[in-house]
Amino acid sequence: MSVGAVTVDGDGVARASVTVRTAGGAPVTATGTWTAPGVDGRVQRLRLSGATSYTRAFTWDLGERPCGRTVTLTVVTSPAAPGGARSSSVAVPACPTRVNGLFVSLAMPDAPGLTARARVGVTADGTGAIPVEAAFAVDGETVGTRTASLSGRTSYSRVLTHAFRARPCGSTLSVRVRAGDRVRTARVEVTCPPAVRRVSIVRAGPGEGGLVATVSVVTADDRPVTLDVGFLLGGEPAGSERITLSGDTAYTRTVSRALRTVPCGTTWTVTASTTPEAAGGPDRATGKTAECPRETPKPEETPKPQETPKPQESPSSDRPGTVD
């Protein structure tokens, strides 16, 4: 009796050919016992008769490929063959681990955070090595890749990161992760709060019919910001204006405040501020309206000439008893 080589196909079916030779055509029973570590075995019996040489196939369907295990077929006959039982074994190579599940999420911290974090979850049917690659992209253009090798378990959770030199405000950040033969993609919008780099009053002062100010604003991006311009005249509020700026990173606006009268010789002040506040804070300009004209003094009256007093007449002498 001889037992041929044991083979195991991709579906987990083991096969081997057994040859039995006899001295006559009397019935012979061949019993094959299949074994593999960690698996319930199988016993297969074949009744042979009517010939002196037989070749039969023994099979065992394990249900799945027994990766990394040794499958053995041991055959005995009744009546017993000279030399007793015969065996044949095959060591099935370890199977490549298959990824059953791949889960990916992507997060970008609030501004001014610069590091994107991709959380990767993997489940597998074995403990073999699983290569993982994560490709980070901004608006579809790859900006960096990260790799990892997983092994020793059937479930994994990993975080792969990419640090930016400058936050990609207003763009779509994505990560494409490949683990084994599975691929998943996650995306997130990168937002940034509006930021004002500078607000400055280019010129300001009295204009036709009131006060006029030209203000320059420089922002970090084209997101909306608010400009507030306030006027003071003689220390008292003289009005204000609020303007929303968006769609650009540099703005120049002229704001005027009409007044019924612009008093002369009066201090005026213009303030310009933004929301959010500019990096250097608000700007301020001050000045004074034209001096009031001086009053022309009235000419002094010419004094009337003083009259010369008339000399007093001497009283006449009327003394009685006087004879010329």
Side-chain angles (χ1 to χ4, degrees), residues 36-287:
V39 182
D40 292 337
R42 179 176 187 252
V43 176
Q44 184 178 4
R45 290 183 175 87
L46 297 178
R47 186 172 178 79
L48 311 173
S49 64
T52 58
S53 179
Y54 310 88
T55 299
R56 297 292 185 268
F58 282 68
T59 62
W60 180 25
D61 187 352
L62 288 89
E64 63 180 10
R65 186 172 173 82
C67 301
R69 288 173 285 187
T70 298
V71 178
T72 301
L73 173 62
T74 301
V75 181
V76 297
T77 61
S78 178
R86 301 287 190 276
S87 296
S88 180
S89 299
V90 61
V92 181
C95 297
T97 296
R98 289 181 296 182
V99 175
N100 296 328
L102 174 60
F103 313 93
V104 179
S105 65
L106 180 62
M108 189 74 181
D110 293 338
L114 297 176
T115 302
R117 295 168 58 87
R119 184 172 294 278
V120 180
V122 178
T123 58
D125 66 355
T127 60
I130 302 173
V132 176
E133 180 182 85
F136 292 87
V138 173
D139 291 334
E141 183 176 348
T142 301
V143 294
T145 59
R146 296 293 182 270
T147 59
S149 181
L150 311 177
S151 63
R153 301 174 58 185
T154 59
S155 179
Y156 309 88
S157 179
R158 294 289 186 273
V159 173
L160 303 176
T161 64
H162 177 77
F164 291 91
R165 291 184 178 179
R167 187 175 175 88
C169 297
S171 63
T172 300
L173 174 64
S174 63
V175 64
R176 184 176 185 270
V177 178
R178 177 184 294 276
D181 58 355
R182 291 182 178 251
V183 177
R184 292 289 184 272
T185 300
R187 294 178 176 81
V188 67
E189 299 297 321
V190 182
T191 60
C192 297
V196 179
R197 293 180 176 171
R198 184 178 68 253
V199 58
S200 57
I201 299 174
V202 179
R203 52 184 172 274
E208 185 176 349
L211 296 174
V212 180
T214 299
V215 181
S216 170
V217 177
V218 177
T219 61
D221 51 57
D222 62 359
R223 295 170 63 83
V225 299
T226 301
L227 169 65
D228 288 295
V229 180
F231 299 91
L232 293 175
L233 189 61
E236 296 296 327
S240 63
E241 186 164 346
R242 171 168 287 185
I243 303 171
T244 298
L245 309 173
S246 65
D248 206 342
T249 57
Y251 310 87
T252 300
R253 297 291 185 270
T254 298
V255 181
S256 61
R257 186 62 182 173
L259 302 173
R260 291 183 179 179
T261 59
V262 179
C264 57
T266 302
T267 300
W268 56 264
T269 301
V270 177
T271 58
S273 61
T274 59
T275 304
E277 186 176 356
D283 197 15
R284 174 188 176 100
T286 188

